Amino acid sequence: MPLKPSLLFSVLCVASLSACAQAPSSDAAEGEKGAAQASAAAPAPIETRPGTPEDRARQAIESINPAIQIDAIAAAPLPGFREVVVGGQTVYVSDDGKYLLQGSLFDVEAKRDVSQAGVAEVRRKLIADVPEGDRIVFAPTNPKYTVSVFTDVECGYCRKLHQDIAEYNKRGIAVEYLAFPRMGLNTPDYDLMVSVWCAPDRRKALTDAKEGNRVPPRTCDNPVARQYALGQRVGLTGTPMIITESGVQMPGYMPPDALLAALQQVEAADGG
């Protein structure tokens, strides 16, 4: 029996928090500005040719949740289905648009999860589009690896990661921070991260914030709301979210040696 619309709506809300999250309240000018920045950064809807399996897949997704942002539609490893990337997750829609499958697709012969390749490529492209000047970078000279880290100034594991930032750098790992105020826009958490990104010395301000030290309140034209929306779009479910240059998501916080080993493994799998 087909899934009920309400259940499928919930499934796709999980896949795309930005499409389903409650909008911030309208009683604070900075929160309104942040919401407007996030909205302005929203991409144009994906286009498909009428009568194609891709078009039927798009229509099927939009019939469940018209607000959802589809990032990619392509042929699936599963015959008779299209692979659709939404909110940092992969779902599969039958070529006639009638059925939707959600979950990992494991290639038994290759012994790998083939549902992650499309998601990783979407993440790679989206994060590559973030201007270097919008990131807060802690990097060694000539880094061997670079990771993008969606961070919050309040979360314990984000602070734990930053305490060892010099150790990551010693292992040849550059850390490029992106903002994700996990309490949402128009919150004290968001305001603090705006103050960090607007500080004359962002690196010092970020370190101060993560150590619980006072950061002078500031406002400016900043990327915090845009990066918050980006985090939702790439499937962030918790901070810190660590993503490799090839778009592979690491399993949450990892100590320096563990992250280095994981990056070496990803490099080997990518043929590096």
Side-chain angles (χ1 to χ4, degrees):
M1 183 176 70
L3 291 173
K4 294 180 180 180
S6 60
L7 177 56
L8 278 179
F9 181 82
S10 298
V11 167
L12 293 180
C13 277
V14 171
S16 182
L17 296 176
S18 58
C20 310
Q22 181 178 355
S25 60
S26 59
D27 59 354
E30 189 59 34
E32 290 178 347
K33 181 179 178 182
Q37 288 176 336
S39 177
I46 194 167
E47 296 184 359
T48 52
R49 187 161 53 88
T52 61
E54 288 76 12
D55 191 58
R56 287 188 285 272
R58 178 188 59 77
Q59 291 186 56
I61 296 293
E62 291 177 351
S63 72
I64 300 165
N65 181 359
I68 202 163
Q69 170 62 43
I70 299 173
D71 286 308
I73 303 177
L78 188 66
F81 282 79
R82 299 295 102 177
E83 180 181 275
V84 185
V85 178
V86 290
Q89 297 186 33
T90 300
V91 297
Y92 299 96
V93 180
S94 60
D95 287 348
D96 60 6
K98 187 176 181 180
Y99 298 102
L100 181 147
L101 298 174
Q102 183 188 34
S104 298
L105 185 62
F106 194 79
D107 185 324
V108 176
E109 291 186 358
K111 294 182 173 53
R112 65 187 181 95
D113 184 349
V114 296
S115 64
Q116 292 304 305
V119 175
E121 179 60 14
V122 166
R123 284 198 203 101
R124 185 193 67 78
K125 290 179 178 178
L126 291 174
I127 292 176
D129 285 340
V130 177
E132 183 176 352
D134 285 354
R135 308 165 187 245
I136 299 180
V137 179
F138 290 80
T141 303
N142 301 318
K144 174 66 174 176
Y145 302 103
T146 298
V147 293
S148 297
V149 179
F150 284 93
T151 192
D152 178 80
V153 292
E154 302 289 351
C155 88
Y157 279 109
C158 296
R159 291 184 170 190
K160 187 173 178 62
L161 186 154
H162 195 68
Q163 287 172 356
D164 286 335
I165 197 69
E167 293 301 317
Y168 292 103
N169 288 171
K170 285 180 182 178
R171 288 157 179 76
I173 303 170
V175 175
E176 299 190 348
Y177 283 119
L178 302 173
F180 193 87
R182 57 184 181 159
M183 300 306 294
L185 305 179
N186 191 25
T187 64
D189 188 23
Y190 168 77
D191 292 340
L192 178 54
M193 297 199 77
V194 167
S195 296
V196 167
W197 255 257
C198 291
D201 185 342
R202 290 178 174 178
R203 286 161 49 102
K204 181 179 184 303
L206 183 64
T207 299
D208 284 342
K210 287 177 180 286
E211 291 179 351
N213 299 326
R214 181 179 180 274
V215 176
R218 291 185 175 88
T219 59
C220 65
D221 183 14
N222 67 85
V224 174
R226 294 191 298 273
Q227 292 180 6
Y228 175 75
L230 177 61
Q232 294 175 321
R233 192 174 170 195
V234 299
L236 187 151
T237 57
T239 52
M241 182 186 194
I242 304 173
I243 302 175
T244 72
E245 287 183 282
S246 59
V248 175
Q249 179 182 349
M250 296 287 103
Y253 164 78
M254 302 181 77
D257 286 335
L259 180 58
L260 176 60
L263 290 172
Q264 291 170 338
Q265 188 174 20
V266 169
E267 182 181 46
D270 289 343

